[in-house]
Amino acid sequence: MSHPAVAHEAGSPADAGWLAPPVHPHDHRPMKLVIADDHPLFRTAIVHAMGALTQGQPPVEASSLKSLEDAVRAHADIDLVLLDLHMPGACGFSSLVFLRGERPELPVIIISSNAHPRTIRRAEQFGAAGFVPKSAPVSQMLDAVRQVMAGGVWFPEHAAETSDADARLASQLAQLTPQQIRVLMCIADGLLNKQIAYELGLAENTVKVHVTAILRKLECYSRTQAAVLVRSLAPDAGPGDDAPIED
């Protein structure tokens, strides 16, 4: 099913054919992509589809939140991330939140089979530069990439209204450091401080400091409340999840 798109241009992107290379600050070299999706066949299909834009530059592939973290730390020259919302280690938009904290200058396009208007709206509110349904034709995906790399944004038309609760949550999460986001994800998984320290290679006292800062920045009174907040990042969270959480 094709989805009409709303593209907001920055300047005057070239409208040479849909195979034209995108405009970006590193146009002296091929565009470098990260494709983050836990399905190998889908990653392979995207690699093939993006070939005209990457000009033979092999994309970096990630199949989990951990491998995505490793990729963005190891490759400083990444131009764009194509991100699926459902990967091991991630809770919905948590991978997008991580990227916005770790590399705020790096544009991210969500590629998802969940094209519900509320999911698209939340992707935009949490800082994505674009959203392409997995059901979209390849030409539409390439249009989105070209538009985003020209400095614009690209989203399908959707009727869901913006949410004050999501805007507030996005603002709070933006205050967290990348390390605090990792700790928060561990809290959501039910890990104790000692387990978090082992998982992230930190001293237990350092974890305690991070937990205190996280609860303060998120205005949570307990770890349980923070975990519930993380679960509200799920793309298919119901409208009730927009309500303030009381512990």
Side-chain angles (χ1 to χ4, degrees), residues 81-204:
V81 176
L82 302 180
L83 177 66
D84 183 30
L85 294 177
H86 297 283
M87 290 193 302
C91 178
F93 290 103
S94 65
S95 51
L96 174 60
V97 170
F98 162 77
L99 288 170
R100 300 304 298 148
E102 182 81 13
R103 296 280 296 275
E105 82 290 351
L106 183 62
V108 179
I109 295 177
I110 301 296
I111 299 180
S112 178
S113 57
N114 182 346
H116 189 280
R118 185 170 184 267
T119 302
I120 297 170
R121 183 263 296 162
R122 298 189 85 200
E124 190 169 8
Q125 286 198 273
F126 287 126
F131 187 106
V132 179
K134 284 188 174 180
S135 58
V138 170
S139 59
Q140 196 172 93
M141 185 178 297
L142 293 173
D143 284 344
V145 170
R146 187 176 67 243
Q147 182 67 30
V148 167
M149 293 310 299
V153 297
W154 197 101
F155 291 91
E157 292 182 356
H158 56 93
E161 296 180 358
T162 57
S163 162
D164 290 340
D166 279 340
R168 181 170 177 269
L169 177 56
S171 176
Q172 289 174 318
L173 290 171
Q175 299 177 50
L176 302 182
T177 66
Q179 190 70 284
Q180 287 169 353
I181 292 173
R182 295 185 190 99
V183 172
L184 177 61
M185 294 303 109
C186 290
I187 291 173
D189 287 338
L191 300 186
L192 302 176
N193 286 354
K194 184 176 183 178
Q195 295 169 311
I196 296 173
Y198 177 80
E199 184 76 18
L200 301 181
L202 302 173
E204 191 170 349

Side-chain angles (χ1 to χ4, degrees), residues 16-106:
W18 57 274
L19 293 179
V23 178
H24 57 77
H26 310 292
D27 56 8
H28 60 281
R29 61 169 174 80
M31 180 174 62
K32 189 165 186 176
L33 290 176
V34 171
I35 301 173
D37 189 286
D38 64 338
H39 292 94
L41 285 177
F42 183 77
R43 293 198 307 271
T44 299
I46 294 297
V47 169
H48 179 73
M50 293 293 112
L53 300 184
T54 58
Q55 303 173 48
Q57 169 73 54
V60 178
E61 297 185 40
S63 60
S64 66
L65 179 57
K66 178 63 169 61
S67 58
L68 176 60
E69 291 177 359
D70 292 342
V72 297
R73 283 196 293 266
H75 300 273
D77 56 345
I78 293 168
D79 297 306
L80 176 68
V81 176
L82 302 180
L83 177 66
D84 183 30
L85 294 177
H86 297 283
M87 290 193 302
C91 178
F93 290 103
S94 65
S95 51
L96 174 60
V97 170
F98 162 77
L99 288 170
R100 300 304 298 148
E102 182 81 13
R103 296 280 296 275
E105 82 290 351
L106 183 62

